[in-house]
Amino acid sequence: MDTAPTSSHPAHQDPAHLEIRPPVLYFGTPVALLSTENEDGSFNLAPISSAWALGRTVLLGLGRQGQTARNLADRPDLVVNLPAPELWRAVERLAPLTGRHPVPPGKPHGCRFEPDKFGAAGLTEQPSRGVRPPRVAECPLQLEARAEQVRPDGSGEFVIVEAVVGTVHADARIVVPGTDHVDPAAWSPLVYSFGHYFGLGPELGHSYRTRTPRTQAAPDSPADAEPRRVPD
């Protein structure tokens, strides 16, 4: 005799969630502008939204056919430039451009070759301290780095880059005075979420691991933040 409890929903169904296959999985990650050196000594600038940090190493996900991946395989110096939300239009001006000529067949429809990415985006080259590619002057955070590993991902469509950061440049307005800490209340990255651009909202709280000196009042933890009201 079957004594298992009955349910109005089969075990594999979840009435609160739908099973979907979104075309992209960019669920909300910071945008970075990567400056790299081309074979002729000019510089490429490319937006990406697959970047995260492990200690002093930044992991980057790049399209295999792009100019950035080609550059880093031969010339490993780069700058990871982090734009603020107000730069989203400049980032979007770069989106349909490639430094590869001819345009690789795997690029989206409408993509075109552009040798002067800085000029096309309306951004300014700023000399770096320890690498050849320039920084983006308008970006509040700029990480000079060197690609220590460039390898294909499991699908063969992308490459994964492990870039070790050397010098970090920060706009003085986002640094806690007298320290090496970025003030999280003053800094907001440009976030790319499912094809749309966003900035950060108000601070909700902080991790118990933070060592950043407080420059203004903020909730002690997420539990102390104002709860989000769910509409009736």
Side-chain angles (χ1 to χ4, degrees), residues 15-230:
H17 296 82
L18 301 176
E19 293 187 6
I20 64 173
R21 294 183 63 85
V24 295
L25 293 176
Y26 296 114
F27 44 77
T29 49
V31 173
L33 299 178
L34 304 185
S35 46
T36 58
E37 184 178 1
N38 297 318
E39 185 177 11
D40 63 1
S42 63
F43 300 106
N44 189 58
L45 186 65
I48 69 165
S49 55
S50 298
W52 62 99
L54 293 172
R56 300 288 296 186
T57 298
V58 176
L59 280 77
L60 309 169
L62 309 174
R64 179 179 60 84
Q65 295 185 334
Q67 184 67 16
T68 300
R70 170 176 284 191
N71 284 346
L72 291 178
D74 295 330
R75 292 166 295 281
D77 285 354
L78 73 154
V79 182
V80 181
N81 302 277
L82 299 170
E86 58 267 22
L87 290 177
W88 77 267
R89 289 182 176 85
V91 172
E92 185 60 18
R93 285 193 289 269
L94 287 169
L97 308 180
T98 178
R100 289 283 302 275
H101 182 73
V103 176
K107 286 288 186 179
H109 177 72
C111 186
R112 64 179 178 85
F113 169 67
E114 173 55 61
D116 180 13
K117 296 280 202 71
F118 278 87
L123 297 172
T124 309
E125 294 187 16
Q126 183 177 21
S128 296
R129 176 182 174 186
V131 297
R132 280 186 49 79
R135 297 175 279 153
V136 176
E138 291 80 1
C139 288
L141 276 175
Q142 309 152 339
L143 316 180
E144 297 185 17
R146 182 177 180 85
E148 297 295 341
Q149 287 195 31
V150 181
R151 63 182 186 277
D153 78 323
S155 72
E157 298 182 22
F158 304 96
V159 297
I160 299 171
V161 178
E162 295 183 22
V164 177
V165 174
T167 303
V168 175
H169 305 268
D171 188 309
R173 292 170 293 184
I174 66 169
V175 178
V176 177
T179 77
D180 287 320
H181 292 276
V182 172
D183 183 351
W187 159 241
S188 175
L190 175 62
V191 174
Y192 189 71
S193 177
F194 292 102
H196 296 254
Y197 299 102
F198 296 88
L200 294 185
E203 180 182 349
L204 301 178
H206 57 80
S207 165
Y208 77 96
R209 300 177 64 178
T210 185
R211 294 181 294 172
T212 304
R214 307 305 300 176
T215 57
Q216 62 184 52
D220 289 333
S221 70
D224 296 325
E226 181 72 20
R228 179 182 178 185
R229 185 177 184 274
V230 179

